[in-house]
Amino acid sequence: MHALWLENRRPSLRTDLPCPEPGPGETLVRVRLAGICATDLEMVKGYYPFTGVMGHEFVGETASPGALPIGTRVVGEINVVCGTCAECLAGRPSHCRHRTVLGISNLSGSFAEYLLLPERNLLPVPDNVPDDMAVFTEPLAAALQIQEQVALHPSDRVLLIGAGRLGQLIAQTLTLTGCDLKVVVRSAAPRQLLADRGIATLRPEEVQENSCDLAVEATGAAAGLALARHAVHPGGTIVLKSTYAGDTTLNLSQLVVNEITVVGSRCGPFAPALRLLASGYIDPRPLITARYDLDAGLEGLHAAAQPGALKVLLTP
Ligand SMILES: [Zn+2]
Ligand SMILES: [Zn+2]
């Protein structure tokens, strides 16, 4: 099997991997399309030590017998959980103490011809959702996690900092809530994508102090966090959507004095993400900036790391 392999922070193309064999409760999935995410790029920088097949965003089709007929198009929840630990029993399975995570932690990922997931992790893709949309289910679910964690009202002034591959999806979901959304964006291409959907934008230097109730940080850079802190009024909330390789600094006393709530936000719900794609309320396809064959995946990783790159897709 061909796959993109990460070891000692160095990605490489492997052509010698065995096709995985499903164990009890597992389904073999043939990957139809995979997406490169900022997390994959951060892992190459050392955000999380991982050796194995990279990648967690995919749409595929079932390739072993189970409850779903062979050939069913599916997407898959990336956290594989035990179901019996305290976090699982408390209804927080994405924080399972024994979890493995597709292409991120102790589980072979989606930049490959085949992957394995428990059958319960798989969701069939509606017929009217093409692969080019379904491959965005995981990052769209991550965007929706904000609304799972924070109550948003139409009167809320919301500032989204960052209009990259995840920021664009967050902007599309936030605007559905009816809140007063503005997106901080520097370059022309992502600003145009937002303008095409009627979403208001401003430049970093135009952000006023104490001007929003909720700031969402989706740049993955420390400057974005500082801007969020500048923009949110006392008593407001900052949602952090980015993972960073290494540490970042923040004046904690300011958070204490101004009673700012900071919310870390990671994986979100897949079923609503698929529903929004099927309904047409969200269309992520304008975010696709490049496509590569899996065998040219190293070039794909390089392209995804360039400034201005949004979603780069890999086809096995
Ligand atoms: Zn991702
Ligand atoms: Zn568990």
Side-chain angles (χ1 to χ4, degrees):
M1 176 176 91
H2 291 209
L4 281 192
W5 183 266
L6 186 68
E7 189 161 350
N8 299 323
R9 298 189 196 175
R10 189 176 311 150
S12 63
L13 176 68
R14 296 271 302 260
T15 57
D16 59 341
L17 294 172
C19 184
E21 291 205 9
E26 289 183 329
T27 299
L28 182 68
V29 175
R30 187 180 76 78
V31 177
R32 295 166 62 98
L33 203 53
I36 298 175
C37 162
T39 303
D40 303 312
L41 303 174
E42 288 295 303
M43 284 174 59
V44 175
K45 290 190 213 160
Y47 148 67
Y48 189 84
F50 175 70
T51 299
V53 176
M54 303 176 68
H56 55 276
E57 299 179 3
F58 75 94
V59 54
E61 61 187 50
T62 54
S64 65
L68 296 169
I70 288 181
T72 304
R73 279 196 313 140
V74 290
V75 292
E77 298 258 10
I78 69 173
N79 294 286
V80 175
V81 305
C82 73
T84 56
C85 74
E87 300 297 336
C88 283
L89 293 176
R92 296 185 291 268
S94 67
H95 296 281
C96 170
R97 292 173 191 183
H98 310 294
R99 73 180 181 272
T100 58
V101 187
L102 191 72
I104 295 174
S105 178
N106 293 317
L107 186 60
S108 204
S110 64
F111 297 165
E113 293 174 84
Y114 292 91
L115 59 81
L116 284 180
L117 274 176
E119 188 163 43
R120 65 171 185 273
N121 281 48
L122 301 178
L123 287 86
V125 176
D127 286 343
N128 71 334
V129 179
D131 287 351
D132 279 2
M133 291 177 84
V135 73
F136 285 89
T137 306
E138 191 276 337
L140 181 58
L144 291 171
Q145 180 66 2
I146 297 170
Q147 288 90 310
E148 291 281 352
Q149 293 172 290
V150 179
L152 277 168
H153 310 100
S155 53
D156 284 341
R157 295 165 302 165
V158 178
L159 189 74
L160 167 62
I161 302 159
R165 42 180 82 76
L166 180 58
Q168 293 280 342
L169 295 174
I170 294 171
Q172 288 196 29
T173 62
L174 286 178
T175 200
L176 292 177
T177 69
C179 70
D180 177 4
L181 174 66
K182 292 189 175 63
V183 183
V184 180
V185 52
R186 207 183 286 276
S187 27
R191 183 182 310 119
Q192 188 58 47
L193 284 176
L194 295 165
D196 290 346
R197 301 191 71 91
I199 296 171
T201 60
L202 72 179
R203 293 166 197 280
E205 56 274 16
E206 293 172 327
V207 174
Q208 310 234 321
E209 196 173 0
N210 299 345
S211 59
C212 71
D213 306 297
L214 175 77
V216 178
E217 201 306 283
T219 65
L225 185 51
L227 193 60
R229 171 60 209 95
H230 172 74
V232 83
H233 65 62
T237 301
I238 298 173
V239 175
L240 301 178
K241 278 311 293 187
S242 297
T243 48
Y244 305 80
D247 296 331
T248 186
T249 56
L250 182 65
N251 184 327
L252 294 179
S253 296
Q254 285 187 353
L255 299 183
V256 172
V257 170
N258 292 308
E259 301 191 323
I260 304 293
T261 302
V262 177
V263 179
S265 181
R266 182 170 52 100
C267 296
F270 268 53
L274 268 180
R275 178 161 45 76
L276 285 173
L277 290 170
S279 70
Y281 283 121
I282 302 278
D283 188 353
R285 287 173 293 187
L287 309 192
I288 300 170
T289 49
R291 299 166 186 272
Y292 290 84
D293 288 337
L294 177 65
D295 283 359
L298 294 177
E299 285 171 58
L301 283 174
H302 182 73
Q306 300 312 303
L310 292 175
K311 188 57 71 183
V312 174
L313 298 178
L314 302 177
T315 310

